[in-house]
Amino acid sequence: MIECMTAFSAADFRKQFPILREMINGKPLVYLDNAASTQKPTSVIDCYQDYYKTSNANVHRASHALSAKATKAYEESRQQIKTFINAKSTKEIIWTKGSTESINLVAQSWGRDFLKANDEIVLSYGEHHANIVPWQIVAQQTGAKIKLLPLNDQGRIDITKISDVIGEKTRIVCCAHISNILGRINPVKEIIKYAKKYQALTLIDGAQAIAHLPVDVQALDCDFYLFSAHKMYGPTGVGVLYGKQQVLNDMSPYQAGGEMIKSVSFEHTTFNDLPHKFEAGTPNIAGIIAFGATLRFLENQQSVELMEYEQYLTQYCFTQLSQISGFKFIVKGQPDIPVFSFTLNGQHNHDVAAELDSLGIAVRSGHHCAMPLMQYLNIDGCIRLSLAAYNSIEEIDYVIEALRKITETTIAVKVPTMTHETANEQNNASNAEKNINALAVEDILSLFQHAKSWDSKHREIMMLGKKQARLEQSLKTQQSLISGCESSAWLYCQKQPSGNYYFSGDSDAKVIRGLIAIVLAAVNNKSAEQILAFNMQAYFDELGLLQHLSPSRGNGLNSIVSKIYQIVGA
């Protein structure tokens, strides 16, 4: 047993987050999607609400007491951020909607002014889409080129290959402080130092680092550093862009409107001083003031011991996950922060996430907004567990047991393959030999009536998916592909001489195959008029699907229906 030497009280810390007392699908919430967004403490929630109750007014622009009160709290948050990351001046702290907008601001405001044809933008293979796509857009606008830093086998930027990528044509180097999937701390200080040899600017995406590491932008000596409040126990819709004052002064405004101007006439406009030059329009005042409460909340914690506790969770979780049969981390070694990305042999990532969700466990599955990294690692996607300081050893044990059951529980079902020929045979099957593709609405309703809890209903969906006939490869075409499903899914249709339609479907994920079976029960061997007249929403409501399915599964379910409507309405 790994021992925790810290005096940090996770139990006391956890008590300050009211959502963690919620029940999900009849089970206590185990929230392990913190890399996507952290939960909020009561003090932050109260501060957000209190602004609207006692201080609601626009900032900077009015001459009344309420505006002065709001402006004071708003600018105090900026001062707190300056101190938190050790910036030289509040002029270097720009409020944005989040990390994504911060990167877009730099790409458009700096990139369009200073990049030219054949200049080089350096990224890494481990970047979030938000640190890729804005640079692709500005590269197309300016003629600049993108070069990529490779990763080592543990998922960190390979510092030994840096001289192969950064050189005389490099104008900016943009990389994550910590990858949102791999949980590794990149050697950003070395990268920044090397970029300076060529007078290249550096942008560090700190979205994942800010909640787990002390950040000192002067010590790093980067030109830009950015992060979002919602990943460090703060409100959504608030981001911070740090930029060196001289660099920001040389940049054009990103957006235009109120607040970012000094004077406006039809002949000429002059822009405001930093930081307001980049803050057009009414900002997220409530969120920014509540972010100040977040920083006060964190100041009241024992930061060193909190980080020690996170390391304890990281080591314990890594050790336990490593002992699961069929478990594979997507890169080697223990992560630097409690972010664990993996696959389970023989299990689709979405099926694992759906099974865990039925048990009240919130995790993330898919490509995690990092498709190029998935391609680089030669995988289609993965499952990610990401922990925060309010998580516990007991929660880890609960998840480990659930994952073990998923890998150990197999149901022997012989699944046929659907071909052009067998489609007609299955269509004509007798009720006595009813196959999964010939189920009727009444059969599905009967299954779900006996399943009282969502956990039981989820098992029925997975069983339907296990039994669903698989399409042969020749039927999995671009034409039969269902657009809008997060996992690959296909729908094959045959129109009978009677004018009725017969559908068969398939997906990489069992949960989607199960949802396909539910939909097909309502539409197979029906005319276009019957299909379009059937109240699909009422059917889903009676089954209790959409209120329990995750948003991505719900979107997948609706995409299946939309594909059918598209076919019969054509």
Side-chain angles (χ1 to χ4, degrees):
M1 176 68 178
I2 301 162
E3 291 194 12
C4 179
M5 303 304 293
T6 175
F8 174 77
S9 173
D12 290 342
F13 187 78
R14 182 184 179 90
K15 287 175 184 176
Q16 300 179 74
F17 295 82
I19 199 171
L20 299 179
R21 296 190 286 273
E22 289 294 303
M23 302 293 285
I24 301 295
N25 298 325
K27 307 288 195 305
L29 169 62
V30 177
Y31 186 78
L32 301 180
D33 194 20
N34 294 285
S37 192
T38 53
Q39 298 304 337
K40 321 307 172 196
T42 300
S43 59
V44 173
I45 298 169
D46 289 347
C47 180
Y48 190 92
Q49 294 175 332
D50 186 63
Y51 163 76
Y52 285 114
K53 292 177 180 177
T54 67
S55 309
N56 183 36
N58 216 324
V59 292
H60 298 137
R61 306 180 199 176
S63 55
H64 54 80
L66 206 57
S67 176
K69 182 179 180 182
T71 300
K72 181 176 184 291
Y74 177 87
E75 289 301 333
E76 282 176 352
S77 291
R78 196 191 308 268
Q79 179 64 44
Q80 287 176 274
I81 286 292
K82 170 194 168 293
T83 303
F84 190 74
I85 63 172
N86 193 31
K88 286 184 178 179
S89 168
T90 54
K91 293 180 178 181
E92 298 179 322
I93 306 300
I94 311 298
W95 295 122
T96 66
K97 295 197 300 289
S99 297
T100 299
E101 187 181 39
S102 296
I103 296 170
N104 276 275
L105 189 160
V106 176
Q108 288 300 304
S109 181
W110 177 87
R112 283 188 301 177
D113 285 350
F114 292 98
L115 290 172
K116 60 184 186 298
N118 296 316
D119 283 347
E120 292 176 352
I121 303 162
V122 173
L123 311 176
S124 87
Y125 279 101
E127 301 309 306
H128 190 283
H129 293 163
N131 205 21
I132 299 173
V133 180
W135 299 111
Q136 290 176 328
I137 291 172
V138 81
Q140 291 170 355
Q141 292 168 337
T142 62
K145 301 182 185 302
I146 292 175
K147 295 187 72 175
L148 297 167
L149 292 165
L151 310 179
N152 62 25
D153 61 1
Q154 291 196 336
R156 297 180 184 88
I157 292 174
D158 192 343
I159 201 70
T160 66
K161 304 292 177 62
I162 193 171
S163 61
D164 298 337
V165 183
I166 298 174
E168 296 291 346
K169 293 183 179 180
T170 304
R171 296 294 173 263
I172 190 166
V173 179
C174 312
C175 66
H177 200 159
I178 300 179
S179 162
N180 70 306
I181 299 176
L182 305 176
R184 268 54 175 190
I185 302 172
N186 282 315
V188 292
K189 287 195 74 170
E190 292 89 338
I191 292 169
I192 292 164
K193 183 177 179 181
Y194 194 84
K196 287 185 182 303
K197 289 176 59 177
Y198 300 97
Q199 291 77 52
L201 299 188
T202 49
L203 177 146
I204 307 300
D205 175 1
Q208 295 301 323
I210 196 68
H212 300 283
L213 303 175
V215 172
D216 184 331
V217 292
Q218 291 192 64
L220 287 174
D221 201 21
C222 55
D223 296 286
F224 302 103
Y225 196 96
L226 55 101
F227 53 93
S228 298
H230 73 97
K231 293 183 188 289
M232 52 181 295
Y233 312 112
T236 57
V238 177
V240 172
L241 170 63
Y242 158 81
K244 286 185 176 178
Q245 187 170 339
Q246 185 56 55
V247 179
L248 293 173
N249 274 327
D250 292 341
M251 290 163 52
S252 300
Y254 172 54
Q255 294 178 325
E259 185 64 21
M260 53 74 65
I261 54 87
K262 280 187 176 178
S263 66
V264 178
S265 71
F266 284 109
E267 291 73 35
H268 182 67
T269 294
T270 57
F271 302 130
N272 208 340
D273 297 328
L274 293 174
H276 310 297
K277 170 178 150 182
F278 293 103
E279 296 177 352
T282 298
N284 182 358
I285 303 168
I288 289 168
I289 291 174
F291 193 20
T294 306
L295 297 173
R296 290 191 294 275
F297 167 78
L298 290 173
E299 287 169 4
N300 289 332
Q301 310 306 316
Q302 296 170 306
S303 60
V304 173
E305 293 187 343
L306 185 150
M307 291 176 189
E308 287 177 354
Y309 178 72
E310 283 194 347
Q311 284 303 302
Y312 169 57
L313 291 178
T314 302
Q315 186 179 358
Y316 182 83
C317 192
F318 176 77
T319 301
Q320 297 304 309
L321 289 171
S322 301
Q323 297 172 12
I324 297 174
S325 176
F327 186 98
K328 183 179 181 181
F329 291 108
I330 64 172
V331 292
K332 294 181 179 179
Q334 178 178 307
D336 297 319
I337 64 171
V339 172
F340 306 90
S341 295
F342 59 91
T343 58
L344 286 179
N345 186 38
Q347 302 287 340
H348 194 282
N349 305 318
H350 297 323
D351 291 334
V352 175
E355 177 67 29
L356 293 175
D357 183 54
S358 74
L359 301 173
I361 304 167
V363 303
R364 185 61 61 101
S365 67
H367 54 70
H368 311 281
C369 296
M371 290 182 183
L373 177 59
M374 298 296 106
Q375 295 163 3
Y376 184 76
L377 297 173
N378 197 30
I379 58 177
D380 294 328
C382 60
I383 306 140
R384 183 185 69 190
L385 311 182
S386 51
L387 285 67
Y390 44 58
N391 290 121
S392 67
I393 293 298
E394 290 76 18
E395 288 179 317
I396 293 172
D397 290 342
Y398 179 61
V399 174
I400 296 298
E401 182 61 26
L403 289 171
R404 284 203 176 101
K405 287 181 179 178
I406 291 171
T407 59
E408 294 169 1
T409 303
T410 56
I411 301 174
V413 178
K414 186 177 181 181
V415 179
T417 299
M418 183 68 68
T419 66
H420 291 278
E421 292 75 21
T422 56
N424 279 329
E425 293 174 13
Q426 294 217 15
N427 185 29
N428 296 325
S430 68
N431 286 335
E433 299 172 328
K434 189 172 287 184
N435 57 73
I436 197 69
N437 274 36
L439 290 173
V441 167
E442 292 75 18
D443 300 313
I444 300 295
L445 291 174
S446 177
L447 283 174
F448 275 69
Q449 283 169 358
H450 291 94
K452 302 301 182 184
S453 67
W454 174 244
D455 188 15
S456 300
K457 290 180 179 181
H458 175 262
R459 282 197 293 270
E460 293 294 349
I461 294 171
M462 297 298 284
M463 182 60 72
L464 289 169
K466 289 175 185 288
K467 294 179 178 178
Q468 176 77 8
R470 308 302 302 271
L471 289 178
E472 67 174 20
Q473 284 301 121
S474 65
L475 301 183
K476 296 179 181 179
T477 65
Q478 192 63 35
Q479 185 177 1
S480 65
L481 188 68
I482 301 173
S483 176
C485 280
E486 193 174 2
S487 54
S488 298
W490 302 266
L491 193 70
Y492 176 69
C493 175
Q494 289 183 314
K495 191 172 183 180
Q496 306 301 319
S498 63
N500 288 354
Y501 290 85
Y502 184 79
F503 297 91
S504 48
D506 198 2
S507 174
D508 295 341
K510 286 191 288 292
V511 64
I512 296 297
R513 294 202 300 271
L515 295 175
I516 288 173
I518 289 170
V519 174
L520 297 192
V523 300
N524 265 343
N525 298 316
K526 300 288 195 307
S527 67
E529 293 76 14
Q530 289 173 311
I531 292 171
L532 295 173
F534 182 77
N535 192 334
M536 198 69 75
Q537 185 63 52
Y539 175 44
F540 293 160
D541 287 345
E542 189 168 355
L543 295 173
L545 289 181
L546 291 177
Q547 61 264 48
H548 290 293
L549 289 172
S550 69
S552 58
R553 298 298 93 73
N555 291 338
L557 181 62
N558 289 325
S559 296
I560 297 164
V561 176
S562 295
K563 180 77 170 180
I564 291 169
Y565 288 165
Q566 178 188 348
I567 292 169
V568 303

